[in-house]
Amino acid sequence: MGAEAKQPATTDAARGRGCFIAFEGIEGCGKSTQIHRLAERIRTAGRRVLLTREPGGTPVGEGIRRLLLEPEYGTLDGLTELFLLLASRRSHLEERIRPALERGEVVLCDRYADSSVAYQGGGRRLGLERVEELNRLATGGLMPDLTILLDLSAVEGLRRITARPGAEDRLESEARAFHERVRGAYLEIARRRGGRYRVLDGAGAVAGLAREIWEAVSRLL
Ligand code: TYD
């Protein structure tokens, strides 16, 4: 909690008139489906939407995304990975998110700073507070008005992305332990942030989940 309390307040002037909403969760939690539905709904309500994602969102960010995700670059050590993610975040924030907020748009971001806290801090064990500190440096403390966390068990998330129910080898159990740590870190972050987080059950039906998301978001618009 201490680290969170030190976070500088971001003034309305610094963040513009827009609204910043992030989606978080482990792989397979259904973020992409929901974020696209939400974007449509907000556009139908007459607001301009910037739908974007991390890592990526700018030419530099997309280059970094390739370094991180394409197998030809091999496995990076945790801190190297984190610094690349932070560089991508910084360029994304300055070139796309902040200008959109200044124009009064609704920014929907598929993953933001808390992905690093959960994946690198929790999953890769770099420590939640250490990653939060580096996030503050990269973002100047600009955090979403609301984060939707689609919570899902690691077993179910992995089942959805591999579509191979029942296969149980060493790699899969390592992947499960990693995703369990990521999930646990997300729930810990959500607990600390209180009102700025909405935790929803990612195992729920798509339409019901979309309704709950709209309920939380429409209050902010
Ligand atoms: P992506 O294919 O976009 O997955 P998803 O649809 O689940 O978002 O790949 C993004 C991957 O990068 C995903 O495994 C999470 C990881 N990641 C981190 O480890 N740390 C971060 O800060 C971010 C933004 C993503």
Side-chain angles (χ1 to χ4, degrees):
M1 191 66 216
E4 181 57 23
K6 276 187 274 158
Q7 186 160 310
T10 307
T11 63
D12 283 349
R15 62 185 305 123
R17 291 165 294 112
C19 180
F20 183 11
I21 298 163
F23 274 68
E24 298 283 358
I26 63 169
E27 277 112 295
C29 71
K31 282 183 291 96
S32 309
T33 307
Q34 292 296 341
I35 205 168
H36 282 95
R37 285 180 77 127
L38 179 63
E40 270 318 298
R41 184 120 201 213
I42 297 172
R43 287 185 181 123
T44 305
R47 290 285 299 264
R48 289 194 62 154
V49 175
L50 170 68
L51 176 54
T52 186
R53 67 166 181 189
E54 279 202 12
T58 63
V60 166
E62 291 296 332
I64 292 175
R65 181 182 180 86
R66 284 196 291 280
L67 293 177
L68 287 165
L69 298 180
E70 286 178 11
E72 66 177 290
Y73 299 104
T75 308
L76 303 173
D77 100 289
L79 270 179
T80 308
E81 187 177 85
L82 177 60
F83 286 126
L84 287 171
L85 287 159
L86 292 167
S88 160
R89 179 158 307 131
R90 175 79 189 172
S91 110
H92 188 220
L93 178 62
E94 293 306 318
E95 289 169 40
R96 301 214 63 201
I97 296 178
R98 198 190 299 276
L101 292 174
E102 281 166 1
R103 291 193 299 269
E105 295 179 12
V106 180
V107 175
L108 299 183
C109 195
D110 189 344
R111 301 193 178 282
Y112 185 63
D114 289 337
S115 275
S116 298
V117 182
Y119 279 81
Q120 281 63 50
R124 300 206 65 167
R125 296 198 168 102
L126 294 178
L128 307 199
E129 303 216 333
R130 181 149 66 134
V131 177
E132 283 180 330
E133 190 74 44
L134 290 165
N135 265 335
R136 271 192 291 276
L137 181 68
T139 63
L142 198 153
M143 291 298 278
D145 299 295
L146 176 70
T147 297
I148 307 278
L149 170 59
L150 298 185
D151 180 49
L152 192 67
S153 74
V155 171
E156 177 61 13
L158 289 173
R159 191 189 63 73
R160 288 185 186 177
I161 59 174
T162 58
R164 278 189 293 133
E168 183 69 25
D169 58 18
R170 188 182 60 84
L171 254 183
E172 285 200 352
S173 72
E174 272 175 21
R176 198 176 62 209
F178 176 86
H179 284 93
E180 268 162 10
R181 288 199 298 280
V182 174
R183 181 196 193 193
Y186 270 132
L187 292 172
E188 167 68 21
I189 300 163
R191 201 182 53 73
R192 293 200 224 167
R193 299 271 166 77
R196 287 196 167 201
Y197 250 77
R198 190 68 206 272
V199 183
L200 298 175
D201 182 3
V206 170
L209 207 46
R211 256 196 313 278
E212 287 186 90
I213 292 170
W214 178 244
E215 236 174 71
V217 169
S218 53
R219 276 188 231 130
L220 292 178
L221 303 180

